[in-house]
């Protein structure tokens, strides 16, 4: 199954207008294409001064359009055809001039004509010099566009092409691709479902400097959160400390310790449809964290540990628990027997088991090899796949279970 099946075959129109940030739009086109999205690029005349249609065609594998095409073979209907097929219209970078056209329904080139014919969500990423951005006309146009339902992302502040620093830079492609995924995912099979996903490892304080941590990278949990968003779900991600970028569109609750994760998960799980506990929760914590840094001169300390709460069990016992509870089991021996016991003991609907002794599965790597066990006793042994593919396989099962409840 494709990693983000809900995005495969979706159509996005990427309008590119005359700003130096055009070169970053190529990355947006490329990343969306890699996700399986069919990207129709339309360049304005000014954009073609910075970058050519060929550049975009080379990364999308599809024709990129420019104004001359409006009067080409397909004549006056080209913009209608492109707009009708679109699941999303992205204008990135959007100049002050194009913003003005979009806000006021001016339709004098292929992109602005397409925008007037478009009924899909509109994502706009302004890019211009700081003074142009602050101009009252630009601000009015942005407010007008927002009132019309457009989603404005950015601009960011930082170095501008004029050499000045200020607000006006186009937002980074990764963020724009994140929002594009979010809007393309709406209406997917998990639309209207609220999922809570936990990810990463917890850290338990020994003193103000040292912690007891584990090797969880958070990659599998983050992939589940992203894939759930792609499928249309509303996602709360409760995350331990990780180096990963938060999936765009998720509500992210950052926690450090197991106690904090328990509180955050219990709060988020209220009224949620499913909880997926991918986090590696520390089972034990120092019974008494030292308020001051422990000094070496005092010799090696003995650290007494006490048990952390079991978060899954706490959620399983709560009133109005989510309809579907999913646990993970990282095992280094007797994988299936241990996993089946955890499924039963923790009263779970699904359990994802992986053998962490394998080099290509488990912590830190991008791939995983898992067995998914279900409450009804069934077991699905999945081959080695990316963590995004594992996420898709798991969420397909969560979706089925939710449908059957
Ligand atoms: N889990 C939890 N709260 C804990 C520990 C674990 O909710 N305090 C969850 C994990 O997020 C995971 C599942 O329980 O989804 C199984 O975690 P694991 O550490 O494998 O299980 P334990 O019950 O801690 O068993 P053991 O470590 O002894 O194998």
């Amino acid at each position: 199954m494709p990693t983000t099946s809900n995005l495969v075959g979706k159509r996005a129109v990427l309008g590119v207008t005359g700003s130096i940030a055009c070169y970053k739009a190529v990355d947006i086109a490329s990343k969306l294409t890699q996700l399986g999205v069919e990207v129709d690029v339309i360049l304005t005349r000014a954009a073609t001064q910075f970058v050519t249609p060929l550049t975009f065609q080379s990364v999308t594998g599809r024709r990129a359009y420019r104004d001359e095409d409006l009067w080409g073979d397909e004549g006056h209907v080209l913009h209608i055809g492109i707009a009708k097929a679109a699941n999303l219209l992205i204008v990135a970078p959007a100049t002050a001039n194009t913003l003005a056209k979009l806000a006021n329904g001016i339709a004098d080139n292929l992109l602005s004509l397409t925008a007037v014919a478009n009924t899909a969500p509109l994502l706009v990423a302004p890019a211009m010099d700081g003074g142009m951005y602050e101009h009252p006309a630009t601000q009015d146009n942005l407010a007008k566009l927002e009132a019309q339902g457009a989603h404005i992302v950015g601009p960011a502040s930082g170095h501008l092409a004029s050499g000045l620093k200020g607000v006006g830079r186009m937002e980074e492609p990764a963020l724009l691709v994140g929002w594009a995924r979010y809007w393309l995912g709406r209406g997917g099979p998990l639309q209207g479902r609220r999922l809570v996903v936990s990810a990463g490892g917890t850290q338990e304080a020994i003193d103000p400097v040292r912690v007891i941590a584990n090797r969880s990278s958070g990659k599998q949990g983050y992939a589940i959160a992203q894939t759930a968003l792609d499928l249309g779900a509303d996602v709360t991600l409760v995350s331990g400390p990780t180096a990963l970028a938060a999936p765009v569109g998720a509500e992210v609750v950052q926690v450090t310790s197991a106690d904090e994760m328990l509180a955050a998960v219990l709060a988020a799980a209220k009224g949620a449809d499913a909880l997926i506990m991918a986090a590696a929760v520390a089972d034990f914590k120092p019974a008494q964290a030292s308020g001051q840094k422990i000094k070496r001169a005092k010799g090696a300390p003995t650290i007494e540990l006490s048990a952390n709460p079991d978060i899954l069990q706490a959620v399983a016992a709560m009133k109005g628990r989510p309809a579907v509870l999913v646990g993970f089991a990282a095992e280094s021996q007797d994988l299936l027997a241990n996993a089946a016991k955890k499924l039963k003991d923790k009263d779970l609907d699904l359990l994802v088991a992986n053998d962490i002794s394998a080099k290509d599965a488990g912590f830190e790597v991008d791939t995983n090899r898992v067995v998914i066990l279900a409450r009804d006793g069934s077991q699905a042994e999945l081959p080695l796949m990316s963590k995004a593919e594992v996420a898709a396989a798991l969420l397909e099962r969560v979706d089925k279970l939710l449908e059957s409840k």
Side-chain angles (χ1 to χ4, degrees):
M1 184 166 55
T3 51
T4 47
S5 46
N6 193 44
L7 298 183
V8 174
K10 286 272 166 74
R11 298 275 295 261
V13 177
L14 174 61
V16 181
T17 74
S19 149
I20 180 58
C22 277
Y23 80 92
K24 293 188 185 174
V26 182
D27 198 24
I28 299 173
S30 170
K31 293 228 160 69
L32 288 175
T33 303
Q34 288 171 45
L35 290 166
V37 179
E38 292 171 8
V39 186
D40 292 314
V41 176
I42 302 176
L43 294 94
T44 62
R45 191 175 294 277
T48 60
Q49 299 290 325
F50 289 97
V51 63
T52 69
L54 181 63
T55 315
F56 286 97
Q57 278 171 200
S58 306
V59 297
T60 63
R62 298 169 67 79
R63 188 168 158 202
Y65 300 92
R66 45 193 187 134
D67 271 351
E68 285 77 354
D69 296 316
L70 184 55
W71 307 113
D73 296 345
E74 291 153 84
H76 60 287
V77 292
L78 180 61
H79 56 289
I80 307 288
I82 299 173
K84 268 227 166 83
N87 300 108
L88 176 69
L89 171 59
I90 310 162
V91 183
T95 58
N97 183 42
T98 293
L99 282 179
K101 291 184 191 180
L102 293 174
N104 294 289
I106 295 171
D108 65 347
N109 61 20
L110 182 55
L111 175 60
S112 53
L113 271 163
T114 305
V116 175
N118 172 58
T119 53
L122 170 63
L123 189 63
V124 180
M128 65 203 72
D129 191 62
M132 295 173 75
Y133 174 66
E134 276 153 25
H135 193 282
T138 306
Q139 291 299 315
D140 280 356
N141 289 330
L142 280 167
K144 212 167 169 180
L145 266 176
E146 213 150 32
Q148 290 169 22
H151 309 289
I152 317 280
V153 183
S157 68
H159 171 83
L160 299 172
S162 60
L164 302 173
K165 280 203 162 61
V167 180
R169 281 169 66 89
M170 187 177 82
E171 266 298 356
E172 287 310 312
L175 184 69
L176 296 169
V177 169
W179 280 117
R181 291 177 84 151
Y182 180 81
W183 289 110
L184 285 168
R186 299 304 93 190
L190 290 177
Q191 179 74 34
R193 304 286 192 195
R194 213 163 70 67
L195 266 57
V196 181
V197 181
S198 73
T202 62
Q203 292 183 356
E204 310 298 326
I206 296 170
D207 68 15
V209 180
R210 295 138 178 140
V211 294
I212 297 177
N214 61 63
R215 290 179 54 207
S216 169
S217 63
K219 283 182 176 174
Q220 184 61 74
Y222 275 59
I224 293 167
Q226 179 63 69
T227 306
L229 287 163
D230 291 344
L231 291 165
D234 295 329
V235 176
T236 303
L237 175 63
V238 180
S239 175
T242 75
L244 302 173
V248 175
E251 186 190 331
V252 183
V253 185
Q254 300 281 359
V255 298
T256 304
S257 65
D259 283 321
E260 284 172 26
M261 186 170 276
L262 172 71
V265 168
L266 281 177
K270 242 179 239 146
D273 295 290
L275 167 66
I276 301 172
M277 278 294 295
V281 186
D283 288 324
F284 305 104
K285 62 182 170 194
Q288 199 83 57
S290 165
Q292 304 299 329
K293 187 180 171 197
I294 298 169
K295 300 304 281 181
R296 179 157 56 149
K298 292 202 169 154
T302 302
I303 299 171
E304 196 189 322
L305 299 178
S306 65
N308 265 327
D310 189 304
I311 301 173
L312 264 175
Q313 268 171 2
V315 174
M318 79 186 231
K319 226 175 98 197
R321 63 174 252 182
V324 173
L325 289 189
V326 183
F328 274 68
E331 305 289 347
S332 55
Q333 57 186 0
D334 300 329
L335 178 70
L336 291 180
N338 279 326
K341 186 172 181 314
K342 269 178 201 168
L343 179 89
K344 197 160 176 287
D345 290 350
K346 299 195 186 211
D347 192 17
L348 306 176
D349 300 280
L350 294 170
L351 186 120
V352 184
N354 67 336
D355 180 354
I356 51 164
S357 61
K359 270 211 165 60
D360 50 8
F363 295 137
E364 287 156 5
V365 293
D366 289 319
T367 49
N368 215 349
R369 187 186 288 110
V370 304
V371 184
I372 301 181
L373 294 83
R375 194 192 277 277
D376 65 8
S378 64
Q379 295 182 0
E381 205 166 317
L382 306 184
L384 184 73
M385 45 174 71
S386 72
K387 288 186 172 173
E389 285 168 324
V390 170
L394 173 63
L395 289 168
E396 195 180 275
R397 286 167 172 80
V398 170
D399 184 26
K400 276 210 185 99
L401 283 175
L402 287 172
E403 289 291 317
S404 70
K405 299 245 172 185

